[in-house]
Amino acid sequence: MEIIRAKVLGFCFGVKRAVDLVEEETEQRGSLSTLGFVVHNPSVVEDLSQKGAKVVKSLEEVPTDTVTITAHGVAPAVYKKVKEMGLNLVDATCPIVSKSQKAAYELAEEGFKVVIYGEENHPEMRGVLGWSKGQSIATMDPEIEIDIPRRKVALIAQTTKSEESFAEFVGKFVAKNLGLINELRVINTTCPETDERYDAAKELAKTVDLMIVVGGKNSANTRKLAHTCDSQGVETHQVETADEIERQWLVGRERVGVTAGASTPDSAIEEVEKRLRSMA
């Protein structure tokens, strides 16, 4: 059995930057708190916890003198509250997410209704929504009924969405609402690294008879990777750890592809490949 890695997989720049930053800060400070999961991967979160990074759900729960903003970013109100509480701040927001936040803020300032193609309850979306001063909505439905004040609307996207799916959303949204719009602005805030992973996974899925997608079940981009592979007609399984791989999946398989979400560390990918080799 041949095991083939996707050309691009695993940690993206933003996630690696966030993890490295938290590791550096815990080494210097001994301990700190992270406002939510630094990245959507249980093994990475557990590893950072062992090094002194405690996950909290709110600022009221922070037991340390330092708090970290995760790669997903937060709304401006959170920064204000951190300052009021006198906490030290470590900002690990992904630079691509920061650009999306800035775009939402500036568009709202210019009077646009900002429609964000994304999952309303995703941490990144909650932050971006906060930057647009109540002038935005997040939705996956291009045919949603919305009010467009001043007939000005801008479309941006959650960074983990693909360019292809964003383009499809834009096309359908404009087709439905063109008569309500005098001024339209579209800003592509998708992350190019995310698209590289989708493209590499799709390319590999066409050449194998089984795909294993490694990454957290709570990771939006990993779920999308699995969907991308499955859409190519190849049997696809998403796993968080190597222990989840079942021997029966490999029966009769000659070529097995492996890819991983942007929040998946190299160690998890290597463990999956090691288990596949042992089963082969």
Side-chain angles (χ1 to χ4, degrees), residues 210 235 237 245-253 279:
L210 177 70
E235 183 179 330
H237 296 279
I245 298 173
E246 298 180 19
R247 189 177 299 276
Q248 65 189 37
W249 299 348
L250 309 181
V251 176
R253 310 298 186 183
M279 287 181 167

Side-chain angles (χ1 to χ4, degrees), residues 50 52 62 67 96 102 129 138 152 181 195 202 221 227 242 245 252 268:
Q50 295 296 324
V62 173
V67 64
I96 304 295
K102 182 181 178 182
L129 288 167
K152 297 173 63 173
I181 302 170
D195 254 358
K202 184 184 295 185
N221 79 84
H227 174 73
I245 298 173

Side-chain angles (χ1 to χ4, degrees), residues 51-73:
K51 295 177 180 177
K54 176 179 176 59
V55 178
V56 297
K57 294 181 179 179
S58 68
L59 290 175
E60 288 74 20
E61 297 179 10
V62 173
T64 60
D65 62 0
T66 301
V67 64
T68 301
I69 302 302
T70 73
H72 301 108

Side-chain angles (χ1 to χ4, degrees), residues 188-264:
N188 182 6
T189 53
T190 61
C191 174
E193 288 204 36
T194 301
D195 254 358
E196 287 176 1
R197 282 156 181 74
Y198 294 148
D199 291 343
K202 184 184 295 185
E203 179 182 334
L204 178 58
K206 293 176 181 178
T207 69
V208 298
D209 45 20
L210 177 70
M211 281 294 299
I212 303 296
V213 182
V214 192
K217 299 293 172 59
N218 59 342
S219 166
N221 79 84
T222 304
R223 292 196 302 270
K224 174 64 176 178
L225 266 180
H227 174 73
T228 297
C229 296
D230 185 66
S231 69
Q232 301 307 305
V234 63
E235 183 179 330
T236 302
H237 296 279
Q238 180 183 343
V239 299
E240 284 188 359
T241 66
D243 292 340
E244 296 175 42
I245 298 173
E246 298 180 19
R247 189 177 299 276
Q248 65 189 37
W249 299 348
L250 309 181
V251 176
R253 310 298 186 183
E254 295 182 359
R255 291 165 59 84
V256 177
V258 176
T259 188
S263 54
T264 306

Side-chain angles (χ1 to χ4, degrees), residues 169-185:
F169 176 88
V170 170
K172 291 181 179 179
F173 179 90
V174 173
K176 180 180 185 299
N177 295 286
L178 189 58
L180 304 175
I181 302 170
N182 279 345
E183 185 175 356
L184 172 68
R185 194 171 299 178

